Amino acid sequence: MGDILDEATALIRCKECPWYKNCLTPVQVSIEDIAQFRAAMQATNLPEQARGELDQIMENVASMSQDMVLQSCPVFTKRLKEDPRLAQRIKHMMQNWGKEEGADE
């Protein structure tokens, strides 16, 4: 009976989640985020060259994060942590992406 209640609770939590059906999204670093970083850098006593280098690093990190980093909803993250088999199934799906169905079985 506990399993049924756990499943129902998980389903309700998922449907109430603001991320519902959008469990993963690429990290979005906006122009405003970079502008805020630049404004914060202006307030420091760092030499101009160091500020320029940090600014360049920030732009590079923002660009790379678009392709490498994902944000996930708290329900999805919790499920991945609680069930290693789920993570393994997702990994298997990604490794076999585009292969004909049933070809690897």
Side-chain angles (χ1 to χ4, degrees):
M1 183 72 169
D3 290 342
I4 294 171
L5 291 175
D6 290 344
E7 284 297 317
T9 301
L11 182 62
I12 291 168
R13 284 183 57 215
C14 189
K15 286 193 175 184
E16 290 177 349
C17 181
W19 290 67
Y20 185 58
K21 292 190 177 183
N22 294 302
C23 298
L24 294 172
T25 59
V27 170
Q28 299 295 320
V29 178
S30 68
I31 293 171
E32 291 82 22
D33 295 331
I34 293 173
Q36 285 178 349
F37 176 77
R38 286 182 177 144
M41 290 305 302
Q42 294 298 324
T44 66
N45 292 331
L46 291 174
E48 189 63 36
Q49 182 181 357
R51 276 190 247 167
E53 290 173 8
L54 284 174
D55 190 45
Q56 184 65 40
I57 290 170
M58 176 65 176
E59 287 182 19
N60 290 339
V61 167
S63 175
M64 288 180 358
S65 70
Q66 302 290 332
D67 296 330
M68 297 174 49
V69 180
L70 295 174
Q71 295 173 314
S72 68
C73 84
V75 174
F76 183 72
T77 301
K78 185 174 186 290
R79 288 179 181 175
L80 279 175
K81 288 178 180 179
E82 290 176 347
D83 188 359
R85 293 175 300 154
L86 175 60
Q88 189 61 35
R89 286 183 9 221
I90 293 169
K91 179 180 175 182
H92 178 75
M93 286 173 28
M94 293 304 295
Q95 289 174 338
N96 294 294
W97 192 273
K99 294 181 180 177
E100 284 187 43
E101 193 126 344
D104 60 334
E105 293 177 6

